[in-house]
Amino acid sequence: QVQLVESGGGSVPSGGSLRLSCQASVYTGTSYYMGWFRQAPGKEREVVSCISARGASTYYADSVKGRFTIVRDNAKNTLYLQMSSLRPEDTAMYYCAAAGLGGVWPPLRPSAYNYWGQGTQVTVSL
C-alpha cells in the first residue's frame, strides 16, 4: 500500500511559478512509475507528466512541455512538479499517482495507476 500526499498548490498570477510536491509513504524508486495528473471542473482527468522509476525517462503533455519539469528524489520518497510560465488554462486540481512497473511506458491513462493522492489545487489568474 502506498499513500501519497501532495502539497504546494496555490493561487498565482499568469506567468507565475509553483512547485508541487508529493510525499510517498514508502520507497517507490524500484517499483513504481510516478505521474502528475490534473482535472479541471467539468473535464476529464488528464496526464500532465510522468517519470520512470529511477528518473531516467520522462514524459510531458504537449500543453506543458517546456514549462513544467518533473523530478523524483527517491532518497526522500518525494516527487516534484516545477511549474513555470503558468497560464489560466493550467488551473485545476493536481494529483500525484503511482503506477506499478508491470505496465507500459509511459503510463498515460489514469487506469494505469494504482495509488492516488488527494490532490492540491492550482489556480492561475489573468
Side-chain angles (χ1 to χ4, degrees):
Q1 193 80 343
V2 180
Q3 293 182 329
L4 302 171
V5 179
E6 302 97 333
S7 61
S11 296
V12 295
S14 182
S17 298
L18 284 172
R19 188 178 78 160
L20 305 184
S21 299
C22 172
Q23 180 70 52
S25 60
V26 300
Y27 183 70
T28 59
T30 54
S31 303
Y32 295 97
Y33 302 131
M34 299 294 294
W36 287 100
F37 284 74
R38 67 187 181 186
Q39 188 167 20
K43 295 188 177 181
E44 292 187 356
R45 191 169 297 192
E46 62 176 2
V47 66
V48 173
S49 180
C50 48
I51 189 167
S52 59
R54 299 196 183 279
S57 298
T58 57
Y59 166 87
Y60 296 96
D62 287 343
S63 58
V64 307
K65 205 171 291 184
R67 300 188 297 122
F68 291 10
T69 301
I70 189 170
V71 175
R72 65 190 297 170
D73 185 340
N74 287 334
K76 297 182 178 179
N77 297 339
T78 304
L79 177 72
Y80 302 98
L81 185 69
Q82 179 67 49
M83 306 186 295
S84 60
S85 302
L86 283 162
R87 305 166 180 169
E89 54 264 40
D90 294 318
T91 295
M93 185 72 79
Y94 282 71
Y95 298 91
C96 165
L101 298 186
V104 297
W105 170 263
L108 303 182
R109 298 181 178 182
S111 60
Y113 290 78
N114 309 98
Y115 302 102
W116 292 85
Q118 83 289 349
T120 186
Q121 178 68 37
V122 172
T123 302
V124 185
S125 57
L126 288 169

